[in-house]
Amino acid sequence: MGFLSTVLGFCGFGVGISAGLLIGYFFFIYFQPGDVKNPEIRPLVEQDSETLQKMLPEIPFWVKNPDYDRVDWINRFLEYMWPYLDKAICTTAKNIAKPIIDEQIPKYKIDAVEFETLSLGSLPPTFQGMKAYVTDEKELIMEPLIKWAGNPNVTVAVKAFGLKATAQVLDLQVFALPRITLKPLVPSFPCFANIFVSLMDKPHVDFGLKLVGADLMSIPGLYRFVQEIIKDQVANMYLWPKTLQVQILDPAKAFKRPVGILHVKVVRAMKLKKKDLLGASDPYVKLKLTEDKLPSKKTTVKHKNLNPEWNEQFDIVVKDPQTQALEIRVYDWEQIGKHDKMGMNVVPLKELTSEEPKVMTLELLKNMDLNDVQNEKSRGQLVVELTYKPFKEDEMPKSFEESKSVQKAPENTPDGGGVLVVIVHEAQDVEGKHHTNPYVRILFRGEEKKTKHVKKNRDPRWEEEYTFMLDEPPRNDKLHVEVVSSPSRIGLLHPKESLGYININLSDVVSNKRINERYHLIDSKNGRIQIELQWRTK
């Protein structure tokens, strides 16, 4: 009976399975519900906020905020570079933390604090969006939204009194909205001197902490307590307007701030050569420092004179006396056409002794090539007096913020007066009818200044500075600034034309000492110009 019941049991199981599959297939094929409708497809803009939240629980920040840009390329870059960035960041963190730890552990009678393991894991942070700000200062401001749900492994061992305790940080999550400011922007790689970081909101920080193998974050009440402490401490240190400053370059060297003044006195020239057809020359002298973008200083023209005397003085700002040199060029003035070169010479500033006047008689050369045989020909001599006066330590700006402040006027400034400084930075969207070769014309109290010409450019940049020595503050004066385009060739068909102008009231400059603004040009469709004004007094 036992054997027979076993056989019948197996047969019944096989028959039951077969019958069940057959009946199930019959019901699936012949009894489909007839009230099934195609799903209704609706645009996302027609959905309510609750439905959208269910459909898209993690909406990117650049979708919700139109002023944030999508930066997927940065996320892809981090994904590929993260294994290398992980090692580099961890090595840098160890090097920074080691001297700080070595300084602090004696206070707490701790023998050693070491990193047993330090890794940021395999998951890089992601940028949900980024917003950039444009200002009139030399800076770049960015606000990225950073989310990092990583798997770091950080194990710290603390040794004291012959005992060892280990703490391990796991499963770190950080959501933060920092403001990153790169300033000042400088012409040396990586093109900014400092990084300023501040938090716009309190960050969200979540992590697991194991002490001697036990997860401390699982203790009731401790998790929320630690969370609030971290948020408050980070906010107290870095919540805007407080910042964390990281210096990348020395601003003094990168920005090449002024370190002194070169006083140049052009005394006289002797035995100059004839350039004009009538047997004379009309000489004048141009002075300029190498590595300097400012326009050259010029003496007056001495007409029909081969032994002219000027006795004219000029002050030139020095940024690097070890590498800069004074270029001196003598020209023959022509009423029509290009001015003829009469000779030149160069004086390296490192040959000058500070605070000591030096009278030099320079031979005029064709060029500075010592192997050029044409330099053996006599072209005349030029007598100059040079004095280099370096700034004192208390007169030099120590930081970028101080460098933006207004400097003091020179000692020879009249009492009650000052120096009006006009800095022409750039223009945008200037366009002429027949040509666009813009330069800026500055007119103040009958004195005219002109910047260099920029050919075929609707967004020219000059960065040129001009000074006006005044006996009294210009409270009731106006500064006329005009952008002019000149033809590339002789303008017989299309002469020079105005691209727009602006009249700036100087009373605000006297009150505020410094103004740096972008003005809309009058008689221009979209043209703008950025002008910085300073009023310097003793």
Side-chain angles (χ1 to χ4, degrees), residues 418-422 441-450 466-482 503-507 509-510 533-535:
V419 176
L420 175 65
V421 180
V422 182
R441 175 174 169 265
I442 300 173
L443 187 63
F444 178 68
R445 290 186 178 179
E447 186 175 356
E448 186 180 47
K449 306 281 186 180
K450 293 181 180 180
Y466 304 93
T467 58
F468 300 88
M469 186 78 72
L470 304 178
D471 295 331
E472 59 183 11
R475 298 184 185 277
N476 300 319
D477 291 281
K478 290 186 178 181
L479 182 74
H480 179 79
V481 179
E482 183 179 10
N503 292 317
I504 304 175
N505 196 325
L506 299 179
S507 59
V509 183
V510 177
L533 302 174
Q534 296 181 11
W535 173 245

Side-chain angles (χ1 to χ4, degrees), residues 2 6 10 29-30 103 125 127 138 143 198 269 287 304 465 475 505:
T6 303
F10 276 108
I29 295 298
Y30 294 99
E103 182 183 354
F127 287 79
K138 299 183 187 302
E143 286 186 6
S198 58
L287 307 171
K304 298 180 180 181
E465 178 179 320
R475 298 184 185 277
N505 196 325

